[in-house]
Amino acid sequence: MFLAGYDQSMDRAVVRKISARFDKAVISERGRPPDVALAREQHATYRGHLERAGYEVTTIPADDRYPDCVFVEDTAVVIGGTALLTRPGTDSRVGEVHAVANQLASLLPVAHISPPGTLDGGDVMQIGTHLWVGYSSRSNREGLDQLTRVAAEEGVVVTVVPVTGVLHLKSAVLPIGPATVVVTPGTVDESLLAGLEVLHEDESEHHKFSALPLRDGRVLVTDAAPRTGELLSSRGIQIEPLDISEILAVDGGLTCMSILFST
């Protein structure tokens, strides 16, 4: 059996509960208002999978001022031994960073993205000592430059990847193992993913597939993309389909609800 999980030393997870105003979260033209109660049930199941996989899970309370606050990944990126606090590219989300900063500052040294830079953590994909960072509507050139400087101090290489037609890099490029990703065709220049094995999301499942490899070797996948899931299973990857319909409704995915790291 191929084990696709992250480095087992990555044993901590930070998540944040769902706001009572989650139905007011930022939604693209493809989205719809989510069912808040169902979203909370789905999020609890997600947290349970993290605990089962062996992560020490810290849960930050929701803040109803910020409907999108469950998407904690966008607020911080752990690079080596540094927690880089972001500056989200949507003004209504900037205040989400404060509570996450308080939590991470007790565990790691912190750095900050400063204006006019913007960066969403959903644009940052780390595999080993390499970061692929999306140049998107949420992460601007100044933000990418600041991240690159922090990464260099940690001995981490950065490749900037312009993204097309999706919100974040990890809306279209999902790591499923130490050197393998699933890509939505037409969203990135795949030559920029040199060194990675690229699999493709099934044509019928665009914007429905998301994945999160766990430290115990399982890969959480969305049950809304069964054909892509079957592709992974056929390669010996141990998938765990999960219903996150209400998260997908607001352009979310499996990676964006947690920050996974080691201390």
Side-chain angles (χ1 to χ4, degrees):
M1 178 68 72
F2 173 71
L3 297 182
Y6 287 143
D7 186 333
Q8 290 188 350
S9 67
M10 192 176 292
D11 58 356
R12 288 183 175 268
V14 172
V15 301
R16 193 167 193 180
K17 289 190 174 182
I18 287 179
S19 164
R21 298 179 60 242
F22 185 52
D23 57 339
K24 301 298 190 297
V26 179
I27 303 173
S28 74
E29 293 179 359
R30 292 189 302 270
R32 60 168 173 80
D35 179 318
V36 177
L38 180 54
R40 284 176 166 166
E41 292 177 12
Q42 293 174 348
H43 189 254
T45 300
Y46 174 85
R47 294 198 309 270
H49 279 287
L50 296 179
E51 292 166 352
R52 173 184 163 193
Y55 294 96
E56 181 179 339
V57 179
T58 297
T59 302
I60 300 174
D63 186 330
D64 291 341
R65 293 175 296 173
Y66 304 113
D68 295 270
C69 67
V70 67
F71 300 130
V72 67
E73 177 188 51
D74 287 330
T75 62
V77 179
V78 177
I79 306 172
T82 300
L84 176 61
L85 303 172
T86 71
R87 184 168 174 265
T90 300
D91 290 343
S92 64
R93 299 194 61 195
V94 172
E96 296 174 25
V97 175
H98 181 70
V100 179
N102 288 342
Q103 180 61 48
L104 291 178
S106 67
L107 300 170
L108 295 165
V110 299
H112 302 262
I113 297 293
S114 301
T118 63
L119 179 74
D120 274 15
D123 274 317
V124 183
M125 179 179 75
Q126 182 164 358
I127 299 179
T129 57
H130 197 135
L131 287 179
W132 284 265
V133 185
Y135 184 18
S136 72
S137 62
R138 300 292 181 88
S139 299
N140 66 17
R141 177 56 64 180
E142 292 86 350
L144 301 186
D145 288 346
Q146 292 178 44
L147 176 144
T148 299
R149 289 194 289 272
V150 172
E153 293 173 359
E154 295 287 344
V156 174
V157 176
V158 173
T159 297
V160 174
V161 182
V163 300
T164 302
V166 292
L167 186 62
H168 293 131
L169 178 66
K170 283 194 284 190
S171 302
V173 182
L174 278 302
I176 58 166
T180 304
V181 293
V182 175
V183 174
T184 301
T187 56
V188 298
D189 177 354
E190 293 182 15
S191 70
L192 296 172
L193 305 176
L196 300 175
E197 178 187 21
V198 174
L199 307 178
H200 289 115
E201 180 185 57
D202 189 89
E203 290 184 0
S204 66
E205 296 175 346
H206 286 189
H207 310 301
K208 296 180 180 178
F209 178 76
S210 183
L212 179 66
L214 303 177
R215 67 189 305 265
D216 65 356
R218 293 177 298 134
V219 179
L220 297 182
V221 298
T222 44
D223 68 356
R227 292 184 178 180
T228 307
E230 288 170 6
L231 170 64
L232 304 190
S233 291
S234 72
R235 298 174 63 87
I237 297 171
Q238 183 183 353
I239 67 168
E240 187 85 42
L242 203 60
D243 179 6
I244 58 163
S245 60
E246 305 314 294
I247 306 303
L248 291 173
V250 291
D251 305 304
L254 289 163
T255 68
C256 59
M257 293 186 288
S258 60
I259 303 169
L260 306 182
F261 62 104
S262 58
T263 56

